Amino acid sequence: SLASIIRTFGKLGGATIQPNLVSLAKLRDARRHPDQHRDLMVRICGLSARFVSLSPSVQDDIIGRHMYTA
């Protein structure tokens, strides 16, 4: 569960966690069709941002982080 992941992260000394509860498919679709996802918000560096307003390299980084989910 998400709660156990967060607890383990804390026990292992993790300092900051920024979960984005968005599917990989939705992130990829937002890359291909930004006009259909103008309201998609993600967490990055402790702030919220509209995914489609981020640079392609930052979008790729967020998509790449998805592989670390349970």
Side-chain angles (χ1 to χ4, degrees):
S1 75
L2 180 58
S4 64
I5 291 169
I6 293 171
R7 275 192 295 276
T8 302
F9 180 80
K11 288 177 184 176
L12 294 174
T16 305
I17 190 166
Q18 300 178 92
N20 283 307
L21 303 176
V22 180
S23 72
L24 181 57
K26 188 166 191 166
L27 291 173
R28 287 182 173 159
D29 194 58
R31 276 299 298 274
R32 286 189 290 272
H33 309 287
D35 290 340
Q36 297 174 14
H37 299 276
R38 293 193 184 277
D39 295 331
L40 177 59
M41 301 293 286
V42 294
R43 297 284 295 168
I44 183 166
C45 298
L47 303 171
S48 295
R50 285 187 177 11
F51 182 77
V52 299
S53 70
L54 300 170
S55 71
S57 64
V58 173
Q59 290 178 351
D60 287 342
D61 185 57
I62 291 169
I63 289 170
R65 293 178 195 176
H66 196 278
M67 63 186 227
Y68 298 109
T69 61

